[in-house]
Amino acid sequence: MTQTIVDTADGGSTRNREREPTPERRESECPECAGSIRHDEEHGERTCSDCGLVLDSDAIDYGPEWRSFDHDADDRTRVGAPVSPLRHDKGLSTTIGWQDEDAYGNRLSGRKREQLKRLRTWNERFTSKNAAERNLKQAFGEIERMASALGLPDPCRETAGVLYRRAVEESLLPGRSIEAMATACLYAAARQHGTPRTLVAFASVSRVDKLPIQRAYRYLASELGLQIEPADPIHYLPQYASALEVSDDTEHLAREILEAAKARDLHSGRSPAGLAASAIYGAARLTNDGLTQETVGEETGVSSVTVRNRYRELLDAYGEARDG
């Protein structure tokens, strides 16, 4: 842009000179055509909206890496993995990968691999500095292993981790095995989340027997003041129906049978797992699903004697409910 300067009559000359654009105008105008500059945040570029000239490329995005559709979560700016109660350090420590490769996928030299191995060893030692952290690390590994074997969801595993951490903080571990307390915490968490499993099922995946798990659970519930209601037999139906591969009609009828039994208080003082298994067997007889007592006992862990003694009572209660 030019500016014309005319001197006054006291003896000057007329001349033209260029006026330099201000820094603000340089940022907002294209140097080629003086068009407006557009910021493309998705591609990290600054381009001219008129002639298409690319002024800057590969710009660094300093915003958060997560996407949130909740308008109340604008203050959750972070990087890295979220905090996890199933890690002894809650996932805040550094993790060194096991691959002996660089960022481009090239294999490291022998000297670099030895150096990386030493770094992993010392990192492993520093992340568990005392006996309490080593205790948590071993217990959380057991909880993850058993929960995976039993098919328990992530919220149940996290609750078990919180319970075990409370037990360590309140010094409930001395004199008891880590495996028994970890199994008891997972058993309590499964009942709290409405996804119970029998003690026999927990004992089958644990490294300890059923009796130590029972004792650890009673001690844990007493010392931590856990308010856990008795398990509902209906909560066992989905897992038993899936294990026995019964039809949807059979599962639905078994639910109705249990509802009728609960209305007459037949579930008081009886094993909820036994009632659920017996209800499925009784429903299978009504729908001709072809289940045997032995098959039900093998898949559910409930003895065939219990199934034989309970299913008749359940069917009688269901018949009375329909007739009434």
Side-chain angles (χ1 to χ4, degrees), residues 63 85 88 94 96 121-122 129 164 182 200 221 236 279 282 291 304 319 323:
H88 67 285
T94 302
I96 301 178
T121 302
W122 282 105
K129 299 181 289 294
Y164 192 89
V200 175
Y236 288 89
L291 280 182
S304 58
D323 296 339

Side-chain angles (χ1 to χ4, degrees), residues 165-186:
R165 193 181 294 272
R166 286 184 57 191
V168 172
E169 292 174 353
E170 299 188 19
S171 302
L172 303 183
L173 269 296
R176 292 168 180 83
S177 68
I178 296 175
E179 290 80 6
M181 292 297 289
T183 309
C185 290
L186 189 58

Side-chain angles (χ1 to χ4, degrees), residues 188-210:
R191 293 187 58 176
Q192 286 182 338
H193 284 271
T195 55
R197 303 290 189 272
T198 62
L199 279 173
V200 175
F202 276 95
S204 65
V205 299
S206 179
R207 302 183 191 275
V208 293
D209 296 331
K210 178 181 175 181

Side-chain angles (χ1 to χ4, degrees), residues 287-308:
T287 58
N288 297 322
D289 225 341
L291 280 182
T292 63
Q293 296 176 3
E294 290 76 12
T295 303
V296 174
E298 291 174 359
E299 295 295 334
T300 63
V302 179
S303 67
S304 58
V305 177
T306 301
V307 174
R308 183 165 54 251

Side-chain angles (χ1 to χ4, degrees), residues 34-264:
S36 60
I37 302 300
R38 181 173 59 89
H39 294 266
D40 189 352
E41 297 181 356
E42 182 179 357
H43 299 89
E45 296 177 347
R46 291 175 62 244
T47 60
C48 176
S49 58
D50 294 339
C51 66
L53 177 67
V54 178
L55 301 176
D56 293 319
S57 61
D58 297 330
I60 298 176
D61 185 7
Y62 293 97
E65 86 286 1
W66 50 266
R67 293 193 308 165
S68 176
F69 300 98
D70 185 2
H71 297 291
D72 297 331
D74 294 335
D75 58 343
R76 294 191 307 150
T77 303
R78 58 165 177 80
V79 294
V83 175
S84 173
L86 283 175
R87 298 287 300 274
H88 67 285
D89 53 3
K90 296 187 178 181
L92 298 177
S93 62
T94 302
T95 301
I96 301 178
W98 56 269
Q99 296 93 343
D100 292 329
E101 299 175 350
D102 60 10
Y104 299 99
N106 301 322
R107 186 166 179 80
L108 299 176
S109 62
R111 181 178 179 182
K112 289 292 185 181
R113 289 199 300 271
E114 289 297 327
Q115 183 181 5
L116 195 59
K117 182 179 179 181
R118 289 195 298 271
L119 287 174
R120 291 195 192 100
T121 302
W122 282 105
N123 182 68
E124 188 74 15
R125 293 173 181 174
F126 284 133
T127 53
S128 54
K129 299 181 289 294
N130 50 43
E133 292 187 356
R134 289 191 292 271
N135 188 318
L136 290 173
K137 191 174 183 180
Q138 179 180 350
F140 291 160
E142 286 292 303
I143 289 175
E144 285 281 14
R145 181 186 62 81
M146 291 185 293
S148 298
L150 295 173
L152 295 174
D154 290 339
C156 180
R157 307 180 189 194
E158 294 178 357
T159 301
V162 172
L163 291 177
Y164 192 89
R165 193 181 294 272
R166 286 184 57 191
V168 172
E169 292 174 353
E170 299 188 19
S171 302
L172 303 183
L173 269 296
R176 292 168 180 83
S177 68
I178 296 175
E179 290 80 6
M181 292 297 289
T183 309
C185 290
L186 189 58
Y187 176 72
R191 293 187 58 176
Q192 286 182 338
H193 284 271
T195 55
R197 303 290 189 272
T198 62
L199 279 173
V200 175
F202 276 95
S204 65
V205 299
S206 179
R207 302 183 191 275
V208 293
D209 296 331
K210 178 181 175 181
L211 184 59
I213 299 174
Q214 284 180 314
R215 292 174 177 172
Y217 170 71
R218 291 170 184 167
Y219 179 70
L220 187 75
S222 174
E223 293 297 324
L224 297 183
L226 302 180
Q227 301 295 329
I228 302 178
E229 298 181 355
D232 191 334
I234 295 179
H235 291 163
Y236 288 89
L237 278 183
Q239 53 179 306
Y240 287 172
S242 176
L244 293 169
E245 298 181 353
V246 297
S247 62
D248 293 340
D249 293 338
T250 301
E251 183 179 355
H252 182 71
L253 182 58
R255 188 178 297 271
E256 293 181 355
I257 292 173
L258 286 178
E259 292 289 357
K262 289 172 59 179
R264 287 162 174 73

